[in-house]
């Protein structure tokens, strides 16, 4: 089997604080994510899952270690270069959706394309298509506070994938949802991965993790299994 790594973490450490208050949030983590993978990350609260996801998503920098994203060395890039990388290569879905409250569903999905200089007409067309794909074609003009939690998370997923990222990261994406809307959201992740999207998802729910192709267990800032 030829390997085609999207993301490679090597000897990643993340240390918060120093001295008596030092916390080793991630402690010599090694992880390879191959193209087409669908990985569920599990582990106790405080085991470093979110820290690792934030590093994978270039939302945070490791204290030491090496990160290759699509073969490109990420550590050492400037903040501006990382912002471009996040916009072009990475999608992130959060437990609390993190939509912009003053923007409509369509405008939220258009935003990453604004930063990517996609022309207005194409932006609109792609945002509408993406929202139709997640079943929200009738909710384009609604603001987040006019949408249910599950609908907001579907907008957030559409936003995360709108620039066709190489890697979709989701940190407890169903943690704030009831079981019915959880099923809707998981169906979307299944479809995206079926279409070739590489997905890494954090969850503490075993039935959510079962949907992934592969499960890894975090313990004390690294993978235990
Ligand atoms: P998980 O997502 O698995 O619950 P986290 O990655 O959020 O774990 O946290 C791992 C450890 O790092 C925890 O002990 C947490 O308290 C600590 N931690 C996380 N973020 C910070 C921060 N910004 N400052 C200090 N400690 C932090
Ligand atoms: Mg967490």
């Amino acid at each position: 089997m030829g390997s085609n790594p999207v993301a490679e973490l090597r000897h990643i450490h993340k240390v918060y604080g120093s001295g008596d208050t030092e916390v080793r949030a991630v402690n010599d983590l090694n992880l390879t994510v191959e193209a087409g993978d669908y990985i569920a990350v599990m582990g106790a609260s405080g085991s470093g899952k979110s820290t690792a996801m934030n590093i994978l998503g270039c939302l945070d920098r490791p204290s030491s270690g090496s990160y290759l994203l699509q073969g490109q060395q990420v550590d050492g890039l400037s903040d501006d270069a990382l912002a471009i990388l996040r916009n072009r290569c990475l999608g992130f879905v959060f437990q609390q959706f993190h939509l912009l409250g003053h923007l409509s569903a369509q405008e939220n999905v258009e935003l990453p394309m604004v930063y990517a200089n996609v022309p207005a007409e194409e932006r609109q067309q792609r945002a509408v298509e993406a929202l139709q794909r997640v079943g929200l074609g009738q909710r384009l003009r609604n603001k987040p506070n006019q949408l249910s939690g599950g609908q907001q998370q579907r907008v957030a997923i559409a936003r995360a994938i709108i620039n066709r990222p190489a890697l979709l990261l989701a940190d407890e994406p169903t943690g704030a949802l009831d079981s019915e809307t959880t099923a809707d959201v998981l169906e979307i992740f299944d479809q995206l991965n079926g279409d070739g999207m590489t997905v890494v998802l954090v969850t503490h729910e075993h039935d959510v993790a079962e949907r992934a192709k592969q499960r890894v267990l975090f313990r004390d800032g690294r993978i235990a299994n």
Side-chain angles (χ1 to χ4, degrees):
M1 293 260 288
S3 81
N4 181 14
V6 171
E8 293 178 88
L9 299 177
R10 291 289 170 263
H11 302 295
I12 294 285
H13 293 256
K14 181 71 185 185
V15 184
Y16 290 111
S18 61
D20 286 352
T21 61
E22 182 180 282
V23 176
R24 298 190 164 271
V26 167
N27 194 7
D28 199 28
L29 171 65
N30 293 288
L31 174 67
T32 301
V33 183
E34 304 278 352
D37 273 355
Y38 183 178
I39 300 174
V41 174
M42 303 196 77
S45 177
S47 60
K49 304 180 299 295
S50 292
T51 304
M53 292 294 275
N54 290 343
I55 290 169
L56 276 171
C58 295
L59 296 165
D60 200 356
R61 294 173 186 271
S63 305
S64 65
S66 136
Y67 177 12
L68 291 179
L69 179 62
Q70 297 186 287
Q72 185 187 6
Q73 195 87 38
V74 168
D75 18 284
L77 291 181
S78 68
D79 288 348
D80 286 350
L82 284 182
I84 292 171
L85 210 59
R86 280 197 302 273
N87 181 244
R88 305 291 160 87
C89 304
L90 295 160
F92 213 116
V93 177
F94 302 91
Q95 180 172 0
Q96 297 298 340
F97 326 131
H98 289 214
L99 298 174
L100 294 183
H102 63 289
L103 298 182
S104 68
Q106 184 181 332
E107 289 164 338
N108 268 284
V109 177
E110 282 192 43
L111 204 52
M113 295 187 284
V114 174
Y115 298 132
N117 297 316
V118 176
E121 201 175 322
E122 183 187 337
R123 267 193 338 246
Q124 284 175 20
Q125 191 189 332
R126 275 167 56 184
V128 171
E129 280 171 12
L131 285 164
Q132 286 169 344
R133 268 186 75 182
V134 297
L136 292 176
Q138 308 303 314
R139 292 284 181 273
L140 303 174
R141 309 251 172 270
N142 287 89
K143 300 268 171 70
N145 66 7
Q146 300 167 326
L147 298 169
S148 71
Q151 289 171 333
Q152 289 182 66
Q153 195 61 302
R154 284 187 273 158
V155 175
I157 294 170
R159 177 182 62 178
I161 59 159
I162 198 69
N163 284 337
R164 304 172 185 119
L167 180 59
L168 176 61
L169 302 164
D171 193 351
E172 307 214 24
T174 63
L177 304 179
D178 62 35
S179 58
E180 199 173 317
T181 47
T182 290
D184 293 343
V185 163
L186 291 178
E187 184 63 35
I188 295 170
F189 283 111
D190 283 354
Q191 275 176 24
L192 289 170
N193 180 250
D195 292 342
M197 179 73 72
T198 308
V199 180
V200 180
L201 172 153
V202 172
T203 183
H204 57 259
E205 295 161 274
H206 282 275
D207 51 338
V208 173
E210 282 307 315
R211 300 286 281 262
K213 290 176 182 165
Q214 192 186 337
R215 277 150 293 281
V216 299
L217 179 67
F218 266 55
R219 187 178 295 148
D220 300 331
R222 66 165 76 105
I223 292 168
N225 60 340

